[in-house]
């Protein structure tokens, strides 16, 4: 059975691995596990950003992230992390 809940800090490594697996040919997929963990963490830790995970037996099998202001999210993300 598939269950859903908000993306949590403990989900970030699995969400990043899933991203790398599914989107390996895309830009963010080439950035590596650590970068993607920082990226997904942004959607856990920052107000106005949202994330959900789909789980089967507590294993992350899907994720979706979004923001009320994606341009602001990216600017803040790069400024704080790099």
């Amino acid at each position: 059975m598939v269950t859903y809940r908000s993306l949590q800090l403990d989900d970030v490594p699995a969400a990043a691995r899933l991203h790398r697996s599914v989107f390996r040919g895309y830009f963010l997929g080439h950035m590596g596990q650590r970068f993607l963990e920082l990226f997904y963490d942004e959607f856990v830790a920052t107000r106005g950003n949202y994330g959900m995970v789909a789980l089967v037996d507590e294993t992350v099998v899907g994720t979706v992230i979004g923001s009320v202001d994606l341009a602001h999210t990216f600017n803040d993300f790069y400024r704080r992390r790099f």
Side-chain angles (χ1 to χ4, degrees):
M1 175 163 73
V2 178
T3 58
Y4 305 92
R5 66 172 160 73
S6 295
L7 178 69
Q8 299 172 3
L9 192 56
D10 289 346
D11 301 321
V12 166
R17 279 191 301 277
L18 183 63
H19 188 119
R20 288 180 65 212
S21 173
V22 173
F23 298 109
R24 71 179 132 240
Y26 292 86
F27 171 71
L28 289 178
H30 288 287
M31 299 301 289
Q33 181 71 21
R34 182 65 184 135
F35 176 88
L36 283 168
E37 287 181 19
L38 292 171
F39 182 74
Y40 275 88
D41 181 62
E42 196 72 14
F43 291 86
V44 174
T46 307
R47 186 181 180 131
N49 294 336
Y50 303 92
M52 296 291 294
V53 290
L55 303 149
V56 172
D57 298 325
E58 296 303 311
T59 299
V60 175
V61 296
T63 186
V64 62
I65 52 176
S67 175
V68 296
D69 186 352
L70 198 54
H72 187 257
T73 294
F74 284 134
N75 286 339
D76 283 353
F77 170 69
Y78 289 116
R79 190 177 1 230
R80 270 197 313 278
R81 307 290 182 143
F82 304 103

